[in-house]
Amino acid sequence: MTKKQRVFRTLLTNLFASTPAWVGPLCGLTGAALFLAGTVCFVAYNWAAWGALYKFALPLVGLLACAVGVYRTGLENNAGRVLSFACGLFIGLFWVVFGQVYQTGAFVYEFCLAWAITLLPLVMLAGNRWLWLLWAAVCNGYILSRFSLWMTDYPYMWLLIAFNVVCFAVSEWVAQRRGKGGWFSLFFLAAVLWFGLLEGIGHDWEWHFWCSFGLMLFLGLYAWRLRRGAAQLGFCALALDVLLASQVISSLNIGDGILTVLIVMVLFVGSGGAVYALSRGEVDHD
């Protein structure tokens, strides 16, 4: 081995050692999602020329191949996790083909309900948190499409907020039992904040503001007291900034634009400094 080869190998070793643990699974899952997108485009292009047998063969063969890959590699490495996630995607693709072949209807909530029910056993058996996230996303799609279609006056956003709060609690319970950090639960925190802001638009913003503010403040205190990581604590601080900035902008007049900008800057800089001070010296075990 030459000197240049040794230097290059050392650089690669240091690069992989300094890469966060979540980068590998995320890249693998992104690749699986892109592969599924390409598969869907291929099926859509050749859909009219295929019979029912060929249409069902693609998701079932893909599901079987991924299941065999999971059995061979196991769920302890990134390859097994990516393949198990691909199994969940092929289950969804199967229901897409089923609905198109038998023309079961155009309601999205029926598709989401069938996918969520058939995906749940795989989620429980695999123990893959990315599959758990996929199942939660499908359930969110079911609630959103079901109640927004038939119950336009029903506050279904609160069902979405409550569901994602429960998912956050379960995710945190599992992460603490496994000794992992709290960055993965940010997906559910983001959903809670997003649906809370959507619910406040066009309704009594003052009441929704205080409810969302109190919830994010409670979750921020939880992240700080139990040392759930700078990512979770920083997100809660950013969420509080967004809520406070929205409240300030909605309360001040147009002539107070400079004051609004200054207040928003103070909020973001102050929360950033506070999070940095609280999380300094933190060791990431995820």
Side-chain angles (χ1 to χ4, degrees), residues 20 54 86 145 162 234 253 263 275 281 285:
Y54 289 101
S145 59
N253 297 323
I263 292 176
V275 171
H285 296 287

Side-chain angles (χ1 to χ4, degrees), residues 127-138:
N128 185 351
R129 57 182 178 179
W130 292 102
L131 270 175
W132 159 248
L133 180 63
L134 177 62
W135 180 82
V138 174

Side-chain angles (χ1 to χ4, degrees), residues 6-283:
R6 287 196 299 269
V7 172
F8 182 71
R9 187 171 182 177
T10 303
L11 290 175
L12 286 179
T13 303
N14 294 334
L15 177 63
F16 285 119
S18 60
T19 302
W22 53 267
V23 172
L26 184 60
C27 291
L29 294 172
T30 303
L34 292 175
F35 173 78
L36 181 66
T39 303
V40 170
C41 293
F42 174 76
V43 171
Y45 183 79
N46 298 279
W47 185 263
W50 287 356
L53 180 62
Y54 289 101
K55 293 175 182 178
F56 279 109
L58 183 62
L60 291 178
V61 170
L63 178 61
L64 181 61
C66 291
V68 172
V70 172
Y71 178 77
R72 299 273 302 182
T73 60
L75 293 168
E76 302 301 324
N77 51 36
N78 291 336
R81 298 188 187 100
V82 171
L83 289 172
S84 65
F85 185 80
C87 287
L89 295 179
F90 275 114
I91 291 175
L93 182 59
F94 168 80
W95 287 114
V96 171
V97 174
F98 182 86
Q100 289 294 325
V101 171
Y102 293 104
Q103 295 297 315
T104 57
F107 295 126
V108 177
Y109 72 88
E110 293 179 342
F111 162 70
C112 291
L113 179 61
W115 192 3
I117 292 175
T118 52
L119 184 61
L120 184 59
L122 179 62
V123 174
M124 299 178 65
L125 290 174
N128 185 351
R129 57 182 178 179
W130 292 102
L131 270 175
W132 159 248
L133 180 63
L134 177 62
W135 180 82
V138 174
C139 290
N140 276 291
Y142 168 75
I143 297 173
L144 188 61
S145 59
R146 176 68 174 85
F147 292 101
S148 63
L149 181 64
W150 297 106
M151 301 181 181
T152 54
D153 296 330
Y154 188 79
Y156 58 90
M157 286 294 179
W158 287 108
L159 291 177
L160 290 166
I161 294 172
F163 174 75
N164 285 281
V165 168
V166 172
C167 290
F168 171 80
V170 174
S171 177
E172 281 295 288
W173 178 72
V174 174
Q176 291 188 36
R177 285 176 59 90
R178 296 180 178 179
K180 294 184 176 295
W183 67 268
F184 187 79
S185 303
L186 295 182
F187 294 105
F188 303 113
L189 285 181
V192 170
L193 178 63
W194 174 250
F195 291 128
L197 291 174
L198 287 181
E199 177 64 18
I201 297 175
H203 296 83
D204 185 6
W205 167 250
E206 194 72 22
W207 186 75
H208 287 88
F209 163 75
W210 286 112
C211 290
S212 300
F213 185 84
L215 178 61
M216 285 298 164
L217 182 62
F218 172 76
L219 295 175
L221 291 174
Y222 158 81
W224 172 57
R225 292 293 297 174
L226 297 183
R227 301 182 182 276
R228 297 303 299 146
Q232 193 175 123
L233 182 61
F235 181 87
C236 292
L238 181 61
L240 292 174
D241 285 340
V242 171
L243 292 170
L244 287 173
S246 302
Q247 182 70 3
V248 169
I249 293 173
S250 63
S251 300
L252 296 179
N253 297 323
I254 298 178
D256 299 321
I258 297 179
L259 180 60
T260 302
V261 173
L262 290 176
I263 292 176
V264 172
M265 288 180 61
V266 170
L267 288 173
F268 277 89
V269 173
S271 64
V275 171
Y276 173 76
L278 292 172
S279 61
R280 188 172 54 186
E282 176 187 273
V283 179

